[in-house]
């Protein structure tokens, strides 16, 4: 069974930093792209960024709203992905989800499996 | 303002067929596949349709997806009360703003 467990959320002041973790199990973590998606309370989903696998050179990409402030990394030896968030703004307040690839006989989908999310609150 | 446009709400009675649209552009839906997600109240999103029209294992065949040009649709037939949820479309975008884009979401109400 695929499991994604986010941790590290909490309350942080504007301008501060926070690092989220996503512990994965039940699939070949090293072969999967890992994405982060966030959702402000009562709002829709917003893609934050992703890191691809070693086979794809660990390529990263970010949404314009977080580029230069957020960094995604991964440790394949620990089956864990990370989201380092710096220079946090009040508008970064949201539940942050990590996602992994889904595979079956018909193909695959990035953002196929989702964790339960972790809440980040940016407030003074 | 989301890059992909969905109607904010949709509704139907049990047993009916409802469709939810998702409109994009040549840089996203026009050149990439579409995923659909279902988010039940208080839970994480769940993959419902991928690659425009493929159902992951365990998803009932009441759910189907299609794509034409720069638009996509999700159809739910034999509507059930447990289908009441938020539905989101998603696609990858080839523009410089970053590759992942979602629709604003459609709240489906089962009357």
């Amino acid at each position: 069974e695929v499991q994604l467990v986010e941790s590290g959320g909490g309350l942080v002041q504007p301008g501060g930093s926070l690092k989220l973790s996503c512990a994965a199990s039940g699939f070949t973590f090293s072969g999967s792209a890992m994405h982060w998606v966030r959702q402000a309370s009562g709002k829709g989903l917003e893609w934050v960024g992703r890191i691809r696998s070693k086979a794809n050179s660990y390529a990263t990409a970010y949404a314009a709203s977080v580029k230069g402030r957020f960094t995604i990394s991964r440790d394949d030896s620990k089956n864990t992905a990370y989201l380092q968030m710096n220079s946090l703004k009040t508008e970064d307040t949201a539940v942050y989800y990590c996602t992994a690839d889904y595979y079956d006989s018909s193909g695959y989908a990035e953002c196929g499996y989702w964790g339960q999310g972790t809440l980040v609150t940016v407030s003074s | 303002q989301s890059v992909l446009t969905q109607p904010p709400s949709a509704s139907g009675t049990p047993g009916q067929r409802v469709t939810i649209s998702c409109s994009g552009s040549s840089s996203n839906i026009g050149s990439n596949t579409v995923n659909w997600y279902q988010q039940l109240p208080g839970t994480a999103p769940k993959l419902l349709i991928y690659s425009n029209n493929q159902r992951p294992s365990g998803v009932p065949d009441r759910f189907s997806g299609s794509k034409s040009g720069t638009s996509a649709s999700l159809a739910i037939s034999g509507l059930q009360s447990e289908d009441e949820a938020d539905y989101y479309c998603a696609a990858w975008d080839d523009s410089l703003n970053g590759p992942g884009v979602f629709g604003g979401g459609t709240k489906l109400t089962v009357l």
Side-chain angles (χ1 to χ4, degrees), chain B residues 4-7 19-25 28-30 32-36 49 52-53 64-75 89-91:
Chain B
L4 304 181
T5 301
Q6 296 180 235
T19 60
I20 296 172
S21 61
C22 175
S23 177
S25 67
N28 42 66
I29 293 178
N32 295 291
T33 60
V34 177
N35 292 350
W36 288 91
I49 296 288
N52 304 327
N53 55 18
S64 62
S66 63
K67 186 184 105 167
S68 179
T70 59
S71 295
S73 291
L74 172 71
C89 59

Side-chain angles (χ1 to χ4, degrees), chain B residues 38 62-63 76 78-85 87 108 110:
Chain B
Q38 177 192 59
R62 302 186 296 106
F63 295 90
I76 309 171
L79 197 62
Q80 299 179 4
S81 57
E82 55 261 41
D83 297 332
E84 188 159 292
Y87 293 84
L108 175 64
V110 180

Side-chain angles (χ1 to χ4, degrees), chain A residues 8 21-22 26 35 61 64 75-76 84 93 113 121:
Chain A
S21 299
C22 171
H35 296 246
D75 185 337
D76 290 347
Q84 175 68 49
T93 295
Y113 294 108
T121 303

Side-chain angles (χ1 to χ4, degrees), chain A residues 17-48:
Chain A
S17 298
L18 206 59
K19 186 173 186 177
L20 307 184
S21 299
C22 171
S25 62
F27 65 103
T28 305
F29 177 83
S30 61
S32 177
M34 298 299 295
H35 296 246
W36 288 90
V37 178
R38 68 185 180 183
Q39 185 173 36
S41 180
K43 303 296 185 182
L45 302 172
E46 180 186 12
W47 182 81
V48 172

Side-chain angles (χ1 to χ4, degrees), chain A residues 101-112:
Chain A
D101 292 346
Y102 168 86
Y103 289 89
D104 69 13
S105 58
S106 298
Y108 94 106
E110 295 186 75
C111 297

Side-chain angles (χ1 to χ4, degrees), chain A residues 35 37 39 43-47 50 61-64 67 97 102-117, chain B residues 2 35 37 39 42-47 49-51 54-58 86 88 92 96-105:
Chain A
H35 296 246
V37 178
Q39 185 173 36
K43 303 296 185 182
L45 302 172
E46 180 186 12
W47 182 81
R50 60 98 170 121
Y62 301 92
K67 199 169 186 179
Y97 297 100
Y102 168 86
Y103 289 89
D104 69 13
S105 58
S106 298
Y108 94 106
E110 295 186 75
C111 297
Y113 294 108
W114 294 60
Q116 86 290 347
Chain B
S2 301
N35 292 350
Y37 298 89
Q39 187 175 32
T43 69
K46 167 192 165 185
L47 182 66
I49 296 288
Y50 71 97
S51 295
Q54 300 298 307
R55 282 186 306 275
S57 60
D86 293 323
Y88 295 90
W92 306 117
L96 294 176
N97 291 328
V101 290
F102 284 92

